[in-house]
Amino acid sequence: MRVKVGVIGTGAIGIEHIDRINQKTQGAYVTAVSDINVKAAKEVAKRVDAKFFETGEALIASEDVDVVVVTSWDPTHEQYVLEAIKHGKYVFCEKPLAMDAAGCRRIVDAEVAYGKKLVQVGFMRRYDRGYIELKEAIESKQYGEALMMHCAHRNPSADENYTTPMAISNTAIHEIDVLRWLLNEDYESVQMILPKKTSNSHADLHDPQLLIFQTKSGVTIDLEIFVNCRFGYDIKCDVVFETAEVGMTDPAYTRIKSEEKNYTPVSPDWQTRFLDAYDYEFKLWIDSIKNDAVVGPTAWDGYVAAITMMACHESRETKTKVMIQMDERPALYNE
Ligand code: NAI
Ligand code: ISE
């Protein structure tokens, strides 16, 4: 039997996930869509032969929907995830899980009260081959302990609605999750430094931003967020071990020699850079639903990311190093 998927939010990534589910993921298809942009959503519904629902709540309640995908704007995630839990339906929610730690905690509490993991957060870096190989290198200890990480998350440009805090809540949140997943440990502290601002940024956005994390065991991580770098979509993660450095490459499959230059291109955007990771993420999500046990990033991971995000905001505002403290992990999320 095929899994019937309802998608809330038919913008950029919503459409990508709809086509991914219908065209690349076996055993699932999109039966329902909803978006406050009714015209666009109806067009998508028509194109993929799905039902349009006026509200996300109606979509979640529908018998045409077994599981839910939330790809609407960041501040709307929490309400739909809570609603899906209320109906006992599996829900895949794009990052961030909620806008703050309290919102994520409400989701964790609802899931714990339900007594089963229903939520998976769209922390798709965990499905990228480069990060998977880095994790293998760290866990094998073949180069000794990981000591430091040098990371960057660069976007070519950000629009007028993208503000200073979004560099953390919308962008750095990917690294906040994947780096603790790589090291299998939580952060102890974070300090934000605001470098000289690029002239390509608008008044409400300080760009770039630099974060220095220290983990519980003392691994030190520097992470640059630069969302107007202009030259492409560039993701760096170099791990310095006791006897080696292992770094991720940009997965460019071709090299170009032209006009007396020899180069490999930089990815233009996140869609291109992480295409395989998104496909793999959805394949495993649907497989896990068929096994009735989701295994991807949990609501607890969403909560930890939000606590860390808020410490980053505090560090920016206070210009100090901030210690990262969180609640005790409920037993539901023990490995
Ligand atoms: P977008 O702006 O292209 O699409 C968002 C859609 O949500 C819009 O069509 C909008 O009308 C709709 N929407 C807003 N409020 C709504 C509501 N209350 N109910 C239903 N629909 C509503 O944005 P994009 O780039 O598609 O991002 C969507 C989400 O996916 C964001 O949360 C973003 O952080 C996340 N994202 C994740 C990525 C990843 O790498 N995992 C990449 C890009 C986005
Ligand atoms: C976007 O929402 C994503 O999740 C992309 O992966 C990230 O690179 C970008 O900065 C975000 O705006």
Side-chain angles (χ1 to χ4, degrees), residues 172-291:
I173 196 105
H174 280 297
E175 275 81 9
I176 287 174
D177 177 71
V178 82
L179 301 179
R180 70 179 267 275
W181 174 76
L182 283 178
L183 294 166
N184 197 24
E185 62 168 330
D186 282 323
Y187 304 109
E188 175 88 2
S189 66
V190 64
Q191 176 148 26
M192 182 184 287
I193 294 165
L194 292 179
K196 184 171 178 172
K197 181 175 163 174
T198 170
S199 60
N200 292 318
S201 182
H202 59 82
D204 291 335
L205 172 60
H206 191 106
D207 188 37
Q209 301 179 24
L210 188 68
L211 294 160
I212 315 281
F213 294 99
Q214 200 126 38
T215 68
K216 300 263 184 222
S217 77
V219 180
T220 303
I221 301 165
D222 53 274
L223 167 61
E224 169 202 319
I225 305 295
F226 187 13
V227 295
N228 282 291
C229 81
R230 293 298 188 259
F231 60 82
Y233 186 79
D234 190 32
I235 303 296
K236 293 202 324 194
C237 185
D238 295 337
V239 185
V240 181
F241 293 87
E242 288 172 293
T243 64
E245 181 196 273
V246 183
M248 247 171 32
T249 52
D250 198 294
Y253 298 111
T254 46
R255 174 183 49 73
I256 298 169
K257 286 184 187 175
S258 167
E259 296 176 347
E260 298 167 357
K261 291 191 188 77
N262 182 0
Y263 61 96
T264 50
V266 178
S267 294
D269 49 40
W270 48 265
Q271 289 96 328
T272 318
R273 172 65 179 80
F274 286 115
L275 179 67
D276 293 343
Y278 293 115
D279 289 352
Y280 189 39
E281 175 187 42
F282 268 77
K283 181 200 174 309
L284 293 191
W285 182 58
I286 294 296
D287 287 352
S288 72
I289 284 166
K290 288 199 222 142
N291 293 329

Side-chain angles (χ1 to χ4, degrees), residues 11-13 35 71-74 77 80 94-95 170 174 278:
I13 204 164
D35 194 299
T71 45
S72 47
W73 287 331
D74 296 1
H77 293 179
Y80 294 131
E94 266 308 340
K95 38 58 60 175
N170 194 264
H174 280 297
Y278 293 115

Side-chain angles (χ1 to χ4, degrees), residues 74-79 81-82 85 93-113 119-123 169 173 176-177 298-310 326-328 330 332-333:
D74 296 1
T76 66
H77 293 179
E78 181 187 343
Q79 75 189 77
V81 173
L82 286 173
I85 295 172
C93 179
E94 266 308 340
K95 38 58 60 175
L97 179 59
M99 292 309 283
D100 56 20
C104 292
R105 185 70 225 201
R106 283 189 284 275
I107 291 171
V108 164
D109 289 344
E111 204 177 40
V112 168
V119 179
Q120 178 164 328
V121 185
F123 288 135
S169 65
I173 196 105
I176 287 174
D177 177 71
T298 63
W300 181 253
D301 294 317
Y303 164 80
V304 174
I307 284 275
T308 310
M309 166 187 91
M310 290 172 77
M326 58 191 79
D327 301 342
E328 203 180 316
L332 181 67
Y333 304 101

